[in-house]
């Protein structure tokens, strides 16, 4: 592959081949407008609500996922494999294809398990940066508890032959999400405290990932 695609240059392959960064977090900052009526007033109040999707990847094919209104500088402290249950950090499996597409799957525990499937694509704002993840699909669906209990492999292998709209629990329909799809921006660990993504909505109501 190095010879045929990258002119026998390991450096060229390292720069041009899509890869996932593991020296920080990928962060997706999402906002939406929430309207309400203040008591004893006729005018509606308008609030900008901000929340984040966080991803941390490991070279073993595992990743961590968290949704939170907390800023990067706070969440980075719990995005590790020893995170407590109260941190609401979930672990899943991923694969990266040669064209930079990432297939991901994880389970949300609860009264009924919910399977989250994501499809992302790696790109860079400069050659070799690999500092953006475009969201192609986020899908939630149901899993049969018995099927899950008998499964010994990783989650991606379990759903490998599933259709995108397939659910294995009639009480948890398959849903393709159309909100919260802002591209992920890579934040190195050493920049977690100083990243512009820590700014409140009062100072940055909208962020352009680039």
């Amino acid at each position: 592959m190095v010879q045929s695609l990258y002119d026998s240059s390991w450096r060229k392959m390292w720069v041009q081949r899509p890869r996932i960064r593991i020296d920080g977090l990928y962060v997706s900052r999402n906002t939406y407008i929430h309207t309400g009526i203040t008591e004893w007033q006729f005018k509606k109040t308008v609030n900008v609500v901000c929340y984040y999707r966080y991803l941390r990847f490991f070279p073993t094919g595992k990743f961590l996922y968290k949704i939170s209104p907390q800023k990067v500088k706070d969440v980075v402290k719990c995005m590790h494999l020893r995170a407590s249950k109260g941190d609401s950090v979930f672990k899943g499996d991923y694969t990266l294809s040669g064209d930079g597409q990432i297939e991901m799957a994880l389970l949300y525990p609860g009264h009924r398990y919910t399977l989250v499937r994501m499809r992302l694509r790696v790109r860079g704002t400069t050659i070799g940066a690999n500092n953006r993840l475009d969201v192609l699909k986020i899908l939630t669906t149901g899993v049969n508890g018995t099927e899950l209990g008998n499964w010994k492999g990783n989650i991606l292998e379990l759903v490998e032959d599933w259709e995108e709209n397939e659910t294995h629990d009639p009480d948890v329909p398959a849903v393709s999400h159309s909100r919260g799809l802002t591209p992920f921006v890579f934040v190195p660990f050493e920049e977690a405290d100083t990243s512009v993504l820590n700014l409140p909505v009062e100072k940055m109501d909208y962020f352009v990932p680039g």
Side-chain angles (χ1 to χ4, degrees):
M1 182 174 66
V2 177
Q3 182 177 4
S4 60
L5 297 180
Y6 303 103
D7 302 325
S8 300
S9 171
W10 289 100
R11 181 184 181 280
K12 192 173 182 179
M13 185 183 76
W14 175 257
V15 172
Q16 295 184 2
R17 188 183 184 188
R19 57 187 172 84
I20 298 173
R21 301 276 297 270
I22 60 174
D23 55 323
L25 305 179
Y26 285 95
V27 185
S28 171
R29 183 182 189 269
N30 297 275
T31 56
Y32 63 92
I33 303 297
H34 176 75
T35 59
I37 299 178
T38 304
E39 192 174 5
W40 306 113
Q41 293 186 16
F42 293 101
K43 293 183 178 180
K44 289 185 178 181
T45 58
V46 177
N47 300 302
V48 179
V49 180
C50 179
Y51 70 95
Y52 303 82
R53 297 183 190 272
Y54 292 97
L55 288 171
R56 179 183 177 183
F57 293 92
F58 296 88
T60 57
K62 301 291 183 182
F63 73 92
L64 298 179
Y65 179 66
K66 180 179 175 69
I67 298 180
S68 174
Q70 293 179 290
K71 304 295 190 296
V72 184
K73 61 183 179 181
D74 299 315
V75 169
V76 70
K77 301 171 186 177
C78 68
M79 290 293 284
H80 52 76
L81 295 173
R82 300 181 303 278
S84 67
K85 189 175 181 179
D87 290 324
S88 298
V89 175
F90 301 96
K91 184 168 68 175
D93 301 291
Y94 77 91
T95 59
L96 173 64
S97 63
D99 62 355
Q101 188 163 293
I102 310 171
E103 294 289 342
M104 311 169 65
L106 65 92
L107 282 172
Y108 273 143
H111 177 62
R112 286 189 174 89
Y113 280 102
T114 300
L115 175 70
V116 181
R117 301 170 66 185
M118 291 185 281
R119 184 176 300 126
L120 312 178
R121 178 174 290 122
V122 186
R123 64 177 173 89
T125 51
T126 58
I127 296 177
N130 297 293
N131 57 356
R132 298 291 187 272
L133 298 178
D134 291 325
V135 182
L136 306 181
K137 175 81 70 173
I138 296 181
L139 181 77
T140 53
T141 186
V143 184
N144 181 280
T146 303
E147 178 184 30
L148 185 62
N150 295 330
W151 185 255
K152 303 303 180 184
N154 67 43
I155 301 302
L156 271 178
E157 293 170 345
L158 174 65
V159 301
E160 184 177 10
D161 297 323
W162 289 23
E163 299 293 334
E164 287 198 347
N165 61 349
E166 185 174 347
T167 181
H168 287 210
D169 185 341
D171 294 321
V172 184
V175 177
S176 180
H177 297 267
S178 58
R179 294 184 178 182
L181 306 183
T182 305
F184 287 81
V185 174
F186 184 75
V187 179
F189 289 127
E190 63 269 20
E191 297 178 14
D193 288 340
T194 58
S195 171
V196 68
L197 292 172
N198 288 307
L199 291 175
V201 291
E202 293 81 10
K203 294 185 177 181
M204 184 174 66
D205 58 350
Y206 187 74
F207 175 71
V208 180

